[in-house]
Amino acid sequence: MTSKPGKRYPFADGTRNRFGKSSLGSGLSATNSNTRIVQRGQLQPAPTVVLSAQVSTSVNLGLNSERSRGMMIERLRRQGITDERVLAAMQAVPRHQFVDQGLASRAYEDDALPIGFAQTISQPWVVAHMISLVCDHKIPSKVLEVGAGCGYQAAVLAQLVKEVYAVERIKGLCDLARDHMRQLGLSQRARIMFGDGMQGYPAAAPYDAIVVAAAGPVIPRSLLEQLTVGGRLIAPEGTTQQRLVLVERTGQAAWRREELDAVRFVPMRAGTQI
C-alpha cells in the first residue's frame, strides 16, 4: 500500500486498547502490518467503503454489522475473491468483535488494525486470499494456523474446516483469542495453543493445510514436514521484502512452491512471550 507524502497516518502516535497503550507506538509499518503491498502503477484495490456516520461505536456497529460485512464481501468480490465458500465464512464472522472498541467503526475497512503487543489483525483481503488458496482444490479437514493473533482468521477457518489448530507465541494474545472462540461458541472447533509457532503443533499433525501469519527469511522445515502429502501451506516469506509463497507437498520428501503477491507481515519469531 502507498500513502500520499505528508499525510499523517491515523495511528502515528499509537493507540489505546484493552491492553493499555499499544506498543505499536509509531503506528503501522512495513514490519507490523499484515497487508498486501500495491506498487505504484499497479492495479489498485477497490476503494475503501466508508461506513455511515452513525456507525461510531461498537454497539452501533453490532447493530449494523450484517450490512457492514455485506459491504466488505462485495469489496472482496471486486478485489478478485471468487470462492463463495470463503466469502460466506467471512460474512459469518463479526470482525468488529476482534478489534478494540475504539477501532470497531473501522473493522470492515480493508486495513490491518493494531491489536496490541506490536501485532495486527490482518487485512480482510489477505485473510480471504490466503484461505482461498489453501481451499482451492477442496476444503481441508484439518488446518494449522501459525500466529493466531486475536483469533479472527481461526474463526473464519472454523466456518469451513472441521478441525482448526492455531498457535500463538504471545500469552496475552493467546488468552484473547481463546476468549473470542468461547464468545462465538467455536472453542471445540478452533483450538488455540500457546507455543512457538515455528515448531508448528506436531501433536495433531499431519495437516491438510497450514496458514502462516508471520514472515521469516525462509519457511521453517518443521512446518513443511507437518503437511500431509497433497496438503498446501501458504506463508509470507522474506524480511524487508516479502512475498506470499504457496507450497504443496507432492511426496514424502518433495514440495512444490510458487511465489505470489508482495505483502508485508509481522516478523516470525522463535520462542514464546509471557
Side-chain angles (χ1 to χ4, degrees):
M1 286 187 170
T2 57
S3 58
K4 296 180 180 178
K7 183 177 180 181
R8 187 173 177 82
Y9 196 84
F11 300 124
D13 297 318
T15 180
R16 298 195 65 82
N17 56 42
R18 70 191 80 232
F19 304 107
K21 186 172 177 60
S22 170
S23 52
L24 283 172
S26 59
L28 301 180
S29 71
T31 59
N32 65 18
S33 178
N34 290 9
T35 186
R36 170 175 55 168
I37 296 175
V38 178
Q39 304 292 350
R40 182 173 297 177
Q42 291 182 342
L43 179 64
Q44 297 293 317
T48 297
V49 176
V50 179
L51 300 180
S52 57
Q54 71 267 25
V55 184
S56 58
T57 69
S58 60
V59 174
N60 286 340
L61 186 56
L63 296 175
N64 292 276
S65 64
E66 285 294 329
R67 176 175 174 269
S68 300
R69 273 178 272 169
M71 294 162 69
M72 178 185 73
I73 298 306
E74 288 309 310
R75 185 182 63 242
L76 289 172
R77 284 196 177 98
R78 295 196 301 272
Q79 292 175 315
I81 304 299
T82 59
D83 191 325
E84 291 298 326
R85 303 165 302 179
V86 175
L87 291 171
M90 297 284 287
Q91 174 75 53
V93 178
R95 191 173 187 253
H96 66 278
Q97 293 185 20
F98 289 83
V99 301
D100 187 80
Q101 181 175 340
L103 298 174
S105 64
R106 299 194 58 207
Y108 297 102
E109 296 177 11
D110 200 33
D111 288 326
L113 298 173
I115 55 174
F117 301 96
Q119 305 296 303
T120 58
I121 182 174
S122 294
Q123 177 186 1
W125 181 88
V126 168
V127 173
H129 184 50
M130 293 176 77
I131 294 176
S132 294
L133 287 168
V134 297
C135 293
D136 186 32
H137 293 113
K138 64 177 182 178
I139 296 295
S141 295
K142 184 164 54 175
V143 172
L144 172 67
E145 182 193 16
V146 176
C150 61
Y152 175 69
Q153 186 162 252
V156 175
L157 283 165
Q159 309 301 314
L160 295 161
V161 181
K162 292 180 180 179
E163 294 181 74
V164 178
Y165 295 86
V167 181
E168 174 53 54
R169 65 177 296 273
I170 300 174
K171 186 62 164 61
L173 287 180
C174 180
D175 292 341
L176 181 63
R178 286 172 175 166
D179 286 344
H180 287 147
M181 295 306 106
R182 282 193 291 268
Q183 291 165 12
L184 295 176
L186 296 173
S187 296
Q188 297 303 310
R189 203 175 182 98
R191 300 168 177 85
I192 312 294
M193 277 77 61
F194 176 57
D196 183 352
M198 292 184 70
Q199 304 303 316
Y201 188 60
Y207 301 97
D208 303 310
I210 299 177
V211 179
V212 183
V218 296
I219 298 170
R221 178 83 178 194
S222 57
L223 298 181
L224 296 175
E225 291 179 345
Q226 289 176 40
L227 269 181
T228 188
V229 174
R232 288 184 161 197
L233 176 148
I234 183 73
E237 186 181 74
T239 52
T240 56
Q241 294 186 340
Q242 303 172 7
R243 298 200 78 85
L244 275 183
V245 175
L246 179 64
V247 178
E248 183 173 353
R249 189 168 192 174
T250 57
Q252 287 301 317
W255 294 264
R256 180 175 61 241
R257 58 177 278 146
E258 179 183 359
E259 293 190 3
L260 305 171
D261 311 85
V263 291
R264 57 188 182 190
F265 272 71
V266 295
M268 179 177 285
R269 303 188 189 282
T272 57
Q273 178 182 325
I274 303 297

PDB file of all heavy atoms in Angstrom, residues 12 48 59 65 146 154 163 175 178 181 184 195 201 216 223 240 244 258 260:
ATOM      1  N   ALA A  12      -0.322   7.225  14.012  1.00  0.00           N
ATOM      2  CA  ALA A  12       1.081   7.635  14.064  1.00  0.00           C
ATOM      3  C   ALA A  12       1.606   7.732  15.486  1.00  0.00           C
ATOM      4  O   ALA A  12       2.777   7.485  15.749  1.00  0.00           O
ATOM      5  CB  ALA A  12       1.253   8.980  13.361  1.00  0.00           C
ATOM      6  N   THR A  48     -11.874   1.903  -0.458  1.00  0.00           N
ATOM      7  CA  THR A  48     -12.404   1.501   0.838  1.00  0.00           C
ATOM      8  C   THR A  48     -13.818   2.030   0.991  1.00  0.00           C
ATOM      9  O   THR A  48     -14.108   3.184   0.686  1.00  0.00           O
ATOM     10  CB  THR A  48     -11.516   2.077   1.962  1.00  0.00           C
ATOM     11  OG1 THR A  48     -10.212   1.502   1.818  1.00  0.00           O
ATOM     12  CG2 THR A  48     -12.080   1.743   3.326  1.00  0.00           C
ATOM     13  N   VAL A  59     -21.270  -0.709  19.798  1.00  0.00           N
ATOM     14  CA  VAL A  59     -22.676  -1.082  19.988  1.00  0.00           C
ATOM     15  C   VAL A  59     -23.438  -0.815  18.693  1.00  0.00           C
ATOM     16  O   VAL A  59     -24.152  -1.674  18.174  1.00  0.00           O
ATOM     17  CB  VAL A  59     -23.296  -0.293  21.161  1.00  0.00           C
ATOM     18  CG1 VAL A  59     -24.783  -0.588  21.247  1.00  0.00           C
ATOM     19  CG2 VAL A  59     -22.606  -0.649  22.460  1.00  0.00           C
ATOM     20  N   SER A  65     -23.757  -4.606  11.762  1.00  0.00           N
ATOM     21  CA  SER A  65     -22.632  -5.408  11.293  1.00  0.00           C
ATOM     22  C   SER A  65     -22.981  -6.254  10.074  1.00  0.00           C
ATOM     23  O   SER A  65     -22.127  -6.476   9.216  1.00  0.00           O
ATOM     24  CB  SER A  65     -22.091  -6.301  12.417  1.00  0.00           C
ATOM     25  OG  SER A  65     -23.059  -7.250  12.822  1.00  0.00           O
ATOM     26  N   VAL A 146      -0.465 -20.677  12.103  1.00  0.00           N
ATOM     27  CA  VAL A 146       0.693 -20.212  12.863  1.00  0.00           C
ATOM     28  C   VAL A 146       0.589 -18.701  13.019  1.00  0.00           C
ATOM     29  O   VAL A 146       0.606 -17.970  12.032  1.00  0.00           O
ATOM     30  CB  VAL A 146       2.011 -20.586  12.162  1.00  0.00           C
ATOM     31  CG1 VAL A 146       3.207 -20.002  12.914  1.00  0.00           C
ATOM     32  CG2 VAL A 146       2.135 -22.092  12.049  1.00  0.00           C
ATOM     33  N   ALA A 154      -8.608 -17.719  12.602  1.00  0.00           N
ATOM     34  CA  ALA A 154      -9.018 -19.039  13.089  1.00  0.00           C
ATOM     35  C   ALA A 154     -10.539 -19.164  13.096  1.00  0.00           C
ATOM     36  O   ALA A 154     -11.093 -20.215  12.766  1.00  0.00           O
ATOM     37  CB  ALA A 154      -8.458 -19.291  14.493  1.00  0.00           C
ATOM     38  N   GLU A 163     -11.530 -29.164  11.906  1.00  0.00           N
ATOM     39  CA  GLU A 163     -10.553 -29.020  12.978  1.00  0.00           C
ATOM     40  C   GLU A 163      -9.560 -27.928  12.638  1.00  0.00           C
ATOM     41  O   GLU A 163      -8.873 -27.999  11.626  1.00  0.00           O
ATOM     42  CB  GLU A 163      -9.775 -30.323  13.185  1.00  0.00           C
ATOM     43  CG  GLU A 163     -10.578 -31.500  13.685  1.00  0.00           C
ATOM     44  CD  GLU A 163      -9.679 -32.719  13.866  1.00  0.00           C
ATOM     45  OE1 GLU A 163      -8.891 -32.742  14.829  1.00  0.00           O
ATOM     46  OE2 GLU A 163      -9.763 -33.626  13.017  1.00  0.00           O
ATOM     47  N   ASP A 175      -4.602 -15.716  25.113  1.00  0.00           N
ATOM     48  CA  ASP A 175      -5.766 -15.654  26.006  1.00  0.00           C
ATOM     49  C   ASP A 175      -6.917 -14.902  25.353  1.00  0.00           C
ATOM     50  O   ASP A 175      -8.087 -15.302  25.481  1.00  0.00           O
ATOM     51  CB  ASP A 175      -5.377 -14.970  27.315  1.00  0.00           C
ATOM     52  CG  ASP A 175      -4.401 -15.793  28.150  1.00  0.00           C
ATOM     53  OD1 ASP A 175      -4.292 -17.014  27.909  1.00  0.00           O
ATOM     54  OD2 ASP A 175      -3.747 -15.209  29.039  1.00  0.00           O
ATOM     55  N   ARG A 178      -8.555 -17.131  22.738  1.00  0.00           N
ATOM     56  CA  ARG A 178      -9.391 -18.141  23.389  1.00  0.00           C
ATOM     57  C   ARG A 178     -10.709 -17.544  23.859  1.00  0.00           C
ATOM     58  O   ARG A 178     -11.774 -18.164  23.723  1.00  0.00           O
ATOM     59  CB  ARG A 178      -8.634 -18.747  24.574  1.00  0.00           C
ATOM     60  CG  ARG A 178      -7.529 -19.708  24.171  1.00  0.00           C
ATOM     61  CD  ARG A 178      -6.696 -20.125  25.369  1.00  0.00           C
ATOM     62  NE  ARG A 178      -5.704 -21.133  25.005  1.00  0.00           N
ATOM     63  CZ  ARG A 178      -4.685 -21.479  25.786  1.00  0.00           C
ATOM     64  NH1 ARG A 178      -4.528 -20.881  26.968  1.00  0.00           N
ATOM     65  NH2 ARG A 178      -3.831 -22.410  25.381  1.00  0.00           N
ATOM     66  N   MET A 181     -12.992 -17.221  20.890  1.00  0.00           N
ATOM     67  CA  MET A 181     -13.547 -18.511  20.476  1.00  0.00           C
ATOM     68  C   MET A 181     -14.707 -18.912  21.389  1.00  0.00           C
ATOM     69  O   MET A 181     -15.744 -19.404  20.926  1.00  0.00           O
ATOM     70  CB  MET A 181     -12.468 -19.601  20.493  1.00  0.00           C
ATOM     71  CG  MET A 181     -11.328 -19.415  19.502  1.00  0.00           C
ATOM     72  SD  MET A 181     -11.819 -19.178  17.771  1.00  0.00           S
ATOM     73  CE  MET A 181     -11.492 -17.419  17.603  1.00  0.00           C
ATOM     74  N   LEU A 184     -17.886 -16.888  20.691  1.00  0.00           N
ATOM     75  CA  LEU A 184     -18.551 -17.254  19.434  1.00  0.00           C
ATOM     76  C   LEU A 184     -18.939 -18.728  19.379  1.00  0.00           C
ATOM     77  O   LEU A 184     -19.440 -19.193  18.358  1.00  0.00           O
ATOM     78  CB  LEU A 184     -17.644 -16.911  18.246  1.00  0.00           C
ATOM     79  CG  LEU A 184     -17.359 -15.417  18.028  1.00  0.00           C
ATOM     80  CD1 LEU A 184     -16.381 -15.222  16.887  1.00  0.00           C
ATOM     81  CD2 LEU A 184     -18.655 -14.647  17.765  1.00  0.00           C
ATOM     82  N   GLY A 195       2.350 -21.368  22.293  1.00  0.00           N
ATOM     83  CA  GLY A 195       3.594 -22.056  21.978  1.00  0.00           C
ATOM     84  C   GLY A 195       4.369 -21.361  20.877  1.00  0.00           C
ATOM     85  O   GLY A 195       3.968 -20.309  20.364  1.00  0.00           O
ATOM     86  N   TYR A 201       2.629 -27.550  15.440  1.00  0.00           N
ATOM     87  CA  TYR A 201       1.959 -28.277  16.524  1.00  0.00           C
ATOM     88  C   TYR A 201       1.968 -29.750  16.151  1.00  0.00           C
ATOM     89  O   TYR A 201       0.989 -30.298  15.626  1.00  0.00           O
ATOM     90  CB  TYR A 201       0.529 -27.768  16.723  1.00  0.00           C
ATOM     91  CG  TYR A 201      -0.147 -28.347  17.940  1.00  0.00           C
ATOM     92  CD1 TYR A 201       0.369 -28.152  19.213  1.00  0.00           C
ATOM     93  CD2 TYR A 201      -1.316 -29.101  17.805  1.00  0.00           C
ATOM     94  CE1 TYR A 201      -0.254 -28.690  20.331  1.00  0.00           C
ATOM     95  CE2 TYR A 201      -1.953 -29.636  18.907  1.00  0.00           C
ATOM     96  CZ  TYR A 201      -1.416 -29.432  20.172  1.00  0.00           C
ATOM     97  OH  TYR A 201      -2.036 -29.968  21.273  1.00  0.00           O
ATOM     98  N   GLY A 216       9.123 -15.093   7.909  1.00  0.00           N
ATOM     99  CA  GLY A 216      10.511 -15.371   8.225  1.00  0.00           C
ATOM    100  C   GLY A 216      11.337 -15.364   6.958  1.00  0.00           C
ATOM    101  O   GLY A 216      10.797 -15.357   5.852  1.00  0.00           O
ATOM    102  N   LEU A 223       7.472 -26.923   9.686  1.00  0.00           N
ATOM    103  CA  LEU A 223       6.107 -26.722   9.203  1.00  0.00           C
ATOM    104  C   LEU A 223       5.863 -27.508   7.921  1.00  0.00           C
ATOM    105  O   LEU A 223       4.805 -28.146   7.765  1.00  0.00           O
ATOM    106  CB  LEU A 223       5.838 -25.236   8.969  1.00  0.00           C
ATOM    107  CG  LEU A 223       5.925 -24.326  10.190  1.00  0.00           C
ATOM    108  CD1 LEU A 223       5.616 -22.884   9.805  1.00  0.00           C
ATOM    109  CD2 LEU A 223       4.972 -24.795  11.290  1.00  0.00           C
ATOM    110  N   THR A 240      12.835  -7.579   4.599  1.00  0.00           N
ATOM    111  CA  THR A 240      12.374  -6.249   4.198  1.00  0.00           C
ATOM    112  C   THR A 240      11.441  -6.307   2.991  1.00  0.00           C
ATOM    113  O   THR A 240      10.545  -5.480   2.847  1.00  0.00           O
ATOM    114  CB  THR A 240      13.572  -5.330   3.871  1.00  0.00           C
ATOM    115  OG1 THR A 240      14.379  -5.965   2.868  1.00  0.00           O
ATOM    116  CG2 THR A 240      14.407  -5.088   5.111  1.00  0.00           C
ATOM    117  N   LEU A 244       4.016 -13.664  -0.646  1.00  0.00           N
ATOM    118  CA  LEU A 244       3.282 -14.860  -0.265  1.00  0.00           C
ATOM    119  C   LEU A 244       3.830 -16.028  -1.071  1.00  0.00           C
ATOM    120  O   LEU A 244       4.085 -15.907  -2.272  1.00  0.00           O
ATOM    121  CB  LEU A 244       1.787 -14.709  -0.574  1.00  0.00           C
ATOM    122  CG  LEU A 244       0.917 -14.020   0.471  1.00  0.00           C
ATOM    123  CD1 LEU A 244      -0.536 -14.031   0.002  1.00  0.00           C
ATOM    124  CD2 LEU A 244       1.031 -14.673   1.840  1.00  0.00           C
ATOM    125  N   GLU A 258       5.349 -21.893  -5.136  1.00  0.00           N
ATOM    126  CA  GLU A 258       5.009 -20.848  -6.096  1.00  0.00           C
ATOM    127  C   GLU A 258       4.982 -19.514  -5.360  1.00  0.00           C
ATOM    128  O   GLU A 258       4.345 -19.386  -4.320  1.00  0.00           O
ATOM    129  CB  GLU A 258       3.633 -21.130  -6.714  1.00  0.00           C
ATOM    130  CG  GLU A 258       3.160 -20.086  -7.709  1.00  0.00           C
ATOM    131  CD  GLU A 258       1.773 -20.381  -8.237  1.00  0.00           C
ATOM    132  OE1 GLU A 258       1.180 -21.406  -7.835  1.00  0.00           O
ATOM    133  OE2 GLU A 258       1.265 -19.569  -9.044  1.00  0.00           O
ATOM    134  N   LEU A 260       3.861 -15.646  -4.952  1.00  0.00           N
ATOM    135  CA  LEU A 260       2.663 -14.905  -5.350  1.00  0.00           C
ATOM    136  C   LEU A 260       2.821 -13.414  -5.049  1.00  0.00           C
ATOM    137  O   LEU A 260       3.803 -12.817  -5.428  1.00  0.00           O
ATOM    138  CB  LEU A 260       1.449 -15.509  -4.633  1.00  0.00           C
ATOM    139  CG  LEU A 260       1.251 -17.020  -4.838  1.00  0.00           C
ATOM    140  CD1 LEU A 260       0.176 -17.547  -3.913  1.00  0.00           C
ATOM    141  CD2 LEU A 260       0.913 -17.317  -6.291  1.00  0.00           C
TER     142      LEU A 260
END
